[in-house]
Amino acid sequence: MLQGCIDASCTTNENCDDGLGCNGVELCNDGRCAEGAPVVCDDGVECTVERCDEATGACASTMNDALCDDGVPCTADSCSATGCVNEPMDALCDDGFCFQGAECTAEGCQGGTARDCGDGNECTTDSCDPAAS
C-alpha cells in the first residue's frame, strides 16, 4: 500500500493504492502511479450535507432542517428526501385571543381580524389582553 507518494514506480494497481477511498482509485500506468478521480458526493438535494467515507469511498447524506429556514416565522421548515418543505402553519398566526383568522403566506401572517374586546362602557379604554382571555 502506497502512502502519500502518488508519483512512485509500480508494477500493479495495488502498488499505487493509498488506502483512501474518497480520492479515487489510483492506477499503475506505464510503471508510474497515477492519481484517481476524487469521489464527488452530491445527491442534488439542497438541504442535505454530503460526505465521503474514507474507509469505503461511499457517499452518505444527512438531512439538515436548518438549511430550509425560509425566514417566514409561520412556516414549519423541514428537509425531505426531495428537498425543503416550508409548510404554512395558519395556527401560528392566530393567537386565539386578540387576533383571529389570519393565514400564513410567503410574506408571513396576513389578513385576519382583531377581536372585539369592547366592554360597552364608553368611559373605559378597551384593549385585548391575551393573558386575561
Side-chain angles (χ1 to χ4, degrees):
M1 181 181 299
L2 181 69
Q3 292 291 328
C5 186
I6 200 64
D7 195 29
S9 60
C10 60
T11 56
T12 67
N13 289 340
E14 290 77 29
N15 297 138
C16 299
D17 185 3
D18 66 2
L20 301 174
C22 295
N23 66 355
V25 177
E26 296 79 21
L27 301 174
C28 182
N29 187 6
D30 292 328
R32 304 297 286 172
C33 290
E35 292 182 2
V39 174
V40 176
C41 296
D42 184 3
D43 63 7
V45 179
E46 76 271 18
C47 57
T48 58
V49 178
E50 293 84 19
R51 64 176 177 74
C52 180
D53 182 335
E54 282 294 351
T56 64
C59 293
S61 296
T62 304
M63 291 182 185
N64 185 342
D65 290 342
L67 296 174
C68 293
D69 185 358
D70 62 0
V72 177
C74 61
T75 58
D77 306 320
S78 62
C79 181
S80 76
T82 58
C84 288
V85 176
N86 306 103
E87 183 178 349
M89 303 293 288
D90 290 343
L92 296 175
C93 296
D94 186 349
D95 67 8
F97 301 105
C98 299
F99 199 73
Q100 299 168 325
E103 293 180 342
C104 180
T105 69
E107 291 78 37
C109 294
Q110 301 288 317
T113 57
R115 180 177 177 190
D116 180 7
C117 295
D119 63 5
N121 183 345
E122 63 185 55
C123 296
T124 62
T125 302
D126 298 323
S127 66
C128 181
D129 180 3
S133 296

